[in-house]
Structures are given as structure tokens and as C-alpha cells.
Amino acid sequence: MTTQRRSYETGHKPKCLVIVDDTAEWDRAVYYASRWAIRVGGGVVMLRVIETEDQNQQWLGVADIMRAEAEEAANEALDRAAGRANGIAAITPERVIREGDPIEQILDVIDKDVDIAALVLAANPGAEGPGPIITTMAKTMGAFPIPVTIVPGGLTDAEIDALS
């Protein structure tokens, strides 16, 4: 990825990217990102990735129905997350829905939006590990194109307020 970040240039504003997935801790990332946006006068981009699996052509009709249902669920999740961000920071975040591999889609969204200055993720506080995206990204974190903030999933609103 060679796209130069322009977040703080004239005519631009910094944004952070938040992944809205099916984990319980997405709310912590949205809360932190919304507070960050208030502090820096920036914005929030919320991404929901619909993971696609190889579709057998004879089941194309079923695949279309499944895709439509997944898109509806994605919009509902983004509605909840956007409502949360608006309640925290009185902002209207940008919403992006993509299909495919989550890491590839995250990187592509970052590459296409030169104002994204940070990725905010939240880690599962449980013994089962931090979550699938963080676990996968840990292998390539040193080569990631922007800073990544990982918010512990067990932090309260007040604790995040003190940090952001």
C-alpha cells in the first residue's frame, strides 16, 4: 500500500476506521473512536464486512437470498453502531459495507480513503482470545499502513473517557 495519508492537510480531516462485526466488544471500539473524533475534530468510518464463501452455481438463487439477508443484517448492525456514535459524539459516521476477506477489505478501505488516520479495534476480554480480526492482524501488524489502536473490551465508558 503506497497511498499517502492526507488526514491533516487543508481540506481534509482525520478519520478513524472502526470494524462493526458480530463480536460483543464492537461497542468499545465505537465508543473510543467517537470520543477520539470529538477530541481531534475528526470523523469515524464504520466498516461491516460480509464474508463470502464460494458459491455453487446451481445454488445461485439461494446465494442471492443469503447475500440479501447478510446485507440487511449489515445495515442493521451499522444502524446500531451509528446511533451509538451519534449519541456519544453527535456525529454521523460514514458507513461502508464490503464483501470478502475482512483483512483485505480493511486494507482496501484504508487505501481508498486518504483521510483514515487510524484503525480502532476492540479486544475480547475473555480467555478465548482477542477476536478473529486482531488475531489475524497480529501476524502482519508491523507492516500495517496506519496506526492501530486496540481497546480492551472490558473497559467501561468512564475508563474510556479518561483515555480519550
Side-chain angles (χ1 to χ4, degrees), residues 83-96:
R84 180 77 164 125
N86 188 276
I88 296 162
I91 60 172
T92 301
E94 295 175 39
R95 299 160 50 122
V96 179

Side-chain angles (χ1 to χ4, degrees), residues 55-135:
Q55 306 294 341
N56 187 329
Q57 289 298 333
Q58 73 188 72
W59 296 104
L60 193 54
V62 173
D64 289 343
I65 292 169
M66 290 173 63
R67 179 173 284 118
E69 289 173 351
E71 192 163 325
E72 184 177 331
N75 276 308
E76 289 172 4
L78 288 172
D79 286 345
R80 283 190 307 275
R84 180 77 164 125
N86 188 276
I88 296 162
I91 60 172
T92 301
E94 295 175 39
R95 299 160 50 122
V96 179
I97 297 174
R98 293 288 192 88
E99 288 186 31
D101 175 72
I103 303 302
E104 288 175 14
Q105 296 308 313
I106 291 167
L107 289 169
D108 191 56
V109 168
I110 292 167
D111 190 48
K112 286 183 170 49
D113 189 338
V114 296
D115 291 337
I116 295 176
L119 171 64
V120 178
L121 302 170
N124 178 350
E128 57 274 1
I133 292 176
I134 294 172
T135 300

Side-chain angles (χ1 to χ4, degrees), residues 127-149:
E128 57 274 1
I133 292 176
I134 294 172
T135 300
T136 302
M137 285 183 62
K139 299 171 189 162
T140 60
M141 197 69 71
F144 211 71
I146 59 174
V148 178
T149 301

